[in-house]
Amino acid sequence: MQMGIDVGYGQVKGVSEKGKKVIFPSLVAPLTKGPLENDMKHKVFIQCSSVSMRESAVGDGARYSKLIQQLSGQEKPTEAHDILLLTAIALLAEDTKEPISLGVGLPLAYYAAQKDQLKQRLSCMAGKVSVDGSLQHQVSFSRVEVFPQGTGAIAASGIDYSSSGRIGLIDIGTYTTDFVLLEIENGRKSFIPDGCGSREIGAYQLFESLDKAFQAKAGMPLPIREYSRTLDNALQQKPLCFDGKEIHLHKTLEYAMEELTDSVMSQVRAVWGDWARFLDYTILAGGGSVVLHDRLKNKLSNPVMAKDPVFANAWGYLEYVKAS
Ligand SMILES: Nc1ncnc2c1ncn2[C@@H]1O[C@H](COP(=O)(O)OP(=O)(O)OP(=O)(O)O)[C@@H](O)[C@H]1O
Ligand SMILES: [Mg+2]
């Protein structure tokens, strides 16, 4: 079975050749036993050499643990990465017993240094996974391909490659923003190396601003588990209830979105220079683009939102695996 999985710093996104999609926050914690453990999404049991934590809470189910682990740092911690990946595979595979052809990605900045190691490590991986009480799924790979993050979103953008032109892509994630420049001549694609790169900016800056403003009003840091709910509330101009009082954060968010937009645009100028002005399309992908779209659209040449912006890389990895 063919799958494309994007293990992002903020969320895991996966798609299968059958069109099934899964998404969950990139959070892992040891499983807390108790009367509610069977309601937890996701309760995961893994037997695999790279994973010592056999029973874990993954995604939303990990939010309430004090021992929550996020993905952070340039190299994603192997154990947490593999738990997230195997959870996505088990959710996508359902009861399929076929070996898996998997497409995954790495941020462009780390691609050259880490791609061979990641491919080799995943290719040799085999294990048993059960999610939310499902039957144990025996995972093994017939093929693993690693692609540069961002290029996946271009493949899935729906843009017609039969003609000629120049395309830019900006993928705004949680911790990383990837830039890709691509030239197409008579259907042949070539990446412009100087116009491709990653910067460590993303939606996390919004969470940091919300956290600071919350701390100033509430006298304690905003717990990680509350980040995405706080962002959603602030986007809808809804207050957060804390100690029976309402805390309004939408003005803070507006300001933080302006700052993040300026920061993305200054990186666009740094990475693309005046190429940014000679583009037939600028494709926007990643969850950060969903949030910043209205602000970015007037600052870019012919901006187009990717078809399914949050899943764009995962769809692209799947397309590449199908074609290779
Ligand atoms: N549909 C949406 N509406 C609003 N916000 C969203 C949406 N999807 C994602 N986000 C926000 O955008 C952020 C970035 O999402 P995305 O899935 O692109 O990041 P990621 O791929 O996990 O991060 P990275 O690319 O840095 O590894 C998320 O942290 C989330 O808060
Ligand atoms: Mg991403």
Side-chain angles (χ1 to χ4, degrees), residues 6-13 23 26 76 149 171-178 203 207 228 231-232 235 285-288 290-291 309-310:
D6 178 8
V7 182
Y9 282 103
Q11 323 183 88
V12 179
K13 286 81 59 181
I23 184 166
S26 302
K76 291 172 181 157
Q149 197 168 290
D171 173 1
I172 307 172
T174 305
Y175 287 101
T176 49
T177 293
D178 291 287
F207 297 135
S228 74
L231 176 67
D232 288 346
L235 280 170
V290 178
V291 182
V310 178

Side-chain angles (χ1 to χ4, degrees), residues 4 10 22 36 66 82 93 110 116 158 188 191 201 224 242 263 268 271 275 282 293 306 312 321:
V22 294
L36 298 177
K66 292 201 171 87
D82 292 354
Y110 319 135
D116 293 335
R188 265 198 59 221
F191 292 98
I201 52 169
I224 294 171
F242 178 74
S263 173
V268 167
V271 180
W275 270 323
T282 311
H293 177 256
V321 165

Side-chain angles (χ1 to χ4, degrees), residues 189-215:
K189 291 182 280 177
S190 47
F191 292 98
I192 302 172
D194 285 352
C196 298
S198 302
R199 293 289 188 271
E200 289 186 3
I201 52 169
Y204 199 75
Q205 263 86 350
L206 304 178
F207 297 135
E208 278 187 341
S209 299
L210 291 170
D211 175 33
K212 274 193 203 130
F214 177 83
Q215 260 193 70

